[in-house]
Amino acid sequence: MCGITGYLGPRSAVDTALNNLKRLEYRGYDSAGVAYPNCTHVQVVRAAGKIANLEGVLLATPHAANVAIAHTRWATHGGPSESNAHPHGDCSGRIAVVHNGIIENYASLRSELVASGHQFASETDTEVLAHLIEANLPSGQPGPEEIAGAIRVALRRVRGSYAIALISQDAPDMVFVARQDSPLVIGIGDGETFLASDIPAVMRYTRKVILLEDGDFATLTSERIGITDLHGVPVLRFPIEVTWDDAAAEKDGYEHFMLKEIHEGPRTVRDTLRGRMAGKGRVELPGVAFTPQEWAGFQRFVIVGCGTAYHAGVVGKRLFEQLLHRPVETAVASEFRYSEPILDAQTLVILVSQSGETADTLAAMRAAKPKGAKTLAIVNVVGSTLAREADATLLTQAGPEIGVASTKAYLAQLTALTLLGLFLVQTRPCEPTGATQETIDTLLWGLHGLPAVLERCLQDEAQIASLAESLAQHSSFFYLGRGYDYAISLEAALKLKEISYLHAEAYPAGEMKHGPLALVESGVAVIGFCTQPITNEKMLSNLKEVKAREGTIIAVIREGDRVPDCADAVITVPNAAAALMPIVTMVSMQLLAYYVAKARGCEIDQPRNLAKSVTVE
Ligand code: AGP
């Protein structure tokens, strides 16, 4: 998730665009750049690192201009570097473009453009856009309509998500913008026009904004905004008046980053799937650097992580074992590194991490490599230490996760693990696995529909908030489940612990009678997961044991399933394939934890004693 800004008007365009860009630095900050027309060509100034580094370069670069576009990057294709920083240009140097999103078919477009003589200077998918637009421009000096036409033709060939802003030396008083699955707003001033990825970036100058919609294309000047679709047909978009205060705006109007990030769950899953569902019942993992021989050679799998990332691995273990019909191990990174792990060249150690900087996880990787194991990082931050040192990287596309309590990143990790499990089946066509084509198709179809299912979970937010209010007075919580439901109870319990400071323990439901049932009494709340038909009958018995000891029972059931008689309350979640229910159920559990913590007046985004990235051992 990157940040885009632009400005057209009487102010210093570069300084205005950069000042606004700083309001978006939470969206991505591994490099930044700005472009503006000068006398002979489009001037592009970029720097690795934070926006302050770019400002330092600009001190020595004349940058008087009344039009500018700027960008702060969250790397998705190509590591964080000056050469991969936006804006990106074409061969002529007469256009520059900034982009937020993922061009799924960039590789084939890039090959086509290279074959026709275009020369690339970066590893990014964005640069493909600049050259594709150039390839559609007429020879000679194009006018604004021809530039607009070339952009629309190019975007019609693009598959994926984008919010773009483009300037051209041949239309120096204009900015061309478009959006598909990635936000872009236009701020309307008095004799000046602003553009940005998010409302906060324009609010200090104007509260009158147009929210572009998917498929919109717009030509901006300081005085005029013309909006069409990608075929040039005019489109009507009415401006709105923004009433947020500054703090609220940075959270898109949500009270906390955590709640904003819970609501970003569906987009996160969609972005993590993007470009990896190849159709015809197959998964593709472009950019994961193992050869077919290496993939087929892996005979043993160990999934390692900390906290939420470890919990994602526990779900991944169950899925891999079902798909591959071979044992899969999981390990807490801080234990793995001291366990003298017995590994060899046929072992794939999968390291799961949002930040890619967790000291214990890095240490686990460094303990595995000398033993001959191959290492695969499932990581959210491109260019992080884990991403750089692992033998291969499978990126989650959650964008920056600001809240210390991990939410959307967990959903992305489960999505990536599901794709990896399916891909591993594909790499061993001659092995007897547990995955029939029907199983694979069910999972792929389920993944395809998952973002919409998660959106439905979010629609129950009010009911969950109300239930949370009543639960906030309880002193102790058990999260009980069996199979996949036990795997998610670990993460659900952690969510409540870390932001509400309440004792919450995940336990295999069948184990309660072997001791922990002694703790159940009035005032103890039990969240009982009943989303797995194969174990529901036993789960009901376990919940009745709790009820008999006066525990409060909140049953989590699938739509259409019978409400357990012993339940004091119910959370109903949409139905999905059994292996995908952890992703579906977790959205409701994240909301439950959030609203219990809110009811208790806890500091949610930065819980006491915790850090977002635990870089100490
Ligand atoms: C989860 O809500 C916590 N923030 C914490 O458990 C976190 O998952 C753990 O520290 C691992 O971090 P990583 O994913 O960045 O490696």
Side-chain angles (χ1 to χ4, degrees), residues 67-363:
V67 171
I69 55 175
H71 183 275
T72 183
R73 186 168 181 247
W74 176 269
T76 55
H77 294 75
S81 63
E82 190 276 334
S83 63
N84 286 330
H86 301 207
H88 288 289
D90 63 340
C91 301
S92 73
R94 298 186 70 78
I95 62 175
V97 63
V98 293
H99 165 232
N100 176 24
I102 298 170
I103 307 293
E104 294 174 24
N105 58 332
Y106 83 98
S108 57
L109 291 171
R110 182 180 175 126
S111 304
E112 177 191 314
L113 290 159
V114 167
S116 60
H118 287 262
Q119 297 193 335
F120 283 76
S122 81
E123 308 160 82
T124 66
D125 54 340
T126 304
E127 191 185 356
V128 168
L129 275 178
H131 292 281
L132 191 58
I133 292 162
E134 179 188 22
N136 283 286
L137 283 171
S139 56
Q141 180 157 355
E145 265 317 302
E146 289 162 319
I147 297 168
I151 298 169
R152 288 195 288 254
V153 169
L155 290 178
R156 290 202 298 265
R157 294 203 54 203
V158 159
R159 252 197 357 266
S161 61
Y162 57 79
I164 66 162
L166 177 143
I167 59 173
S168 165
Q169 191 57 30
D170 298 308
D173 61 346
M174 290 183 163
V175 176
F176 303 88
V177 301
R179 74 147 281 173
Q180 179 62 46
D181 278 343
S182 198
L184 199 60
V185 302
I186 299 170
I188 302 168
D190 180 7
E192 55 189 359
T193 302
F194 305 83
L195 69 106
S197 306
D198 247 348
I199 288 173
V202 303
M203 270 176 51
R204 95 180 63 178
Y205 297 103
T206 179
R207 287 176 174 268
K208 189 176 178 184
V209 300
I210 291 175
L211 305 178
L212 288 183
E213 297 189 17
D214 284 349
D216 285 359
F217 171 87
T219 303
L220 313 181
T221 68
S222 59
E223 299 285 350
R224 202 176 65 81
I225 298 165
I227 305 175
T228 72
D229 64 13
L230 285 189
H231 295 279
V233 176
V235 166
L236 208 51
R237 294 281 178 253
F238 295 102
I240 64 168
E241 197 67 27
V242 178
T243 57
W244 294 336
D245 62 32
D246 280 1
E250 201 161 28
K251 306 181 188 86
D252 264 354
Y254 292 102
E255 189 175 350
H256 297 100
F257 275 112
M258 181 179 176
L259 187 59
K260 172 174 178 273
E261 288 155 5
I262 292 171
H263 280 264
E264 287 176 348
R267 177 196 59 71
T268 295
V269 169
R270 186 179 299 116
D271 284 352
T272 301
L273 291 171
R274 212 179 281 284
R276 293 166 169 167
M277 306 264 278
K280 299 186 290 297
R282 291 185 64 77
V283 167
E284 282 178 356
L285 298 180
V288 183
F290 287 135
T291 66
Q293 295 71 23
E294 285 174 318
W295 279 117
F298 295 133
Q299 299 305 313
R300 190 163 154 244
F301 303 93
V302 185
I303 309 175
V304 180
C306 299
T308 291
Y310 164 69
H311 295 156
V314 175
V315 177
K317 165 188 164 63
R318 290 198 67 79
L319 176 68
F320 281 27
E321 288 181 340
Q322 278 181 345
L323 291 176
L324 299 171
H325 261 195
R326 62 177 56 242
V328 174
E329 295 155 68
T330 51
V332 168
S334 53
E335 289 297 308
F336 176 81
R337 58 184 294 204
Y338 295 113
S339 65
E340 286 300 307
I342 302 155
L343 309 170
D344 59 23
Q346 280 69 47
T347 306
L348 177 64
V349 176
I350 300 162
L351 300 127
V352 185
S353 174
Q354 188 284 127
S355 64
E357 301 301 344
T358 300
D360 288 323
T361 310
L362 293 176

Side-chain angles (χ1 to χ4, degrees), residues 482-485 529-536 558 577-579 581-582:
R482 289 169 176 256
Y484 279 118
D485 279 344
F529 294 102
C530 310
T531 76
Q532 300 292 320
I534 192 172
T535 52
N536 272 357
R558 299 176 309 163
M581 284 310 295

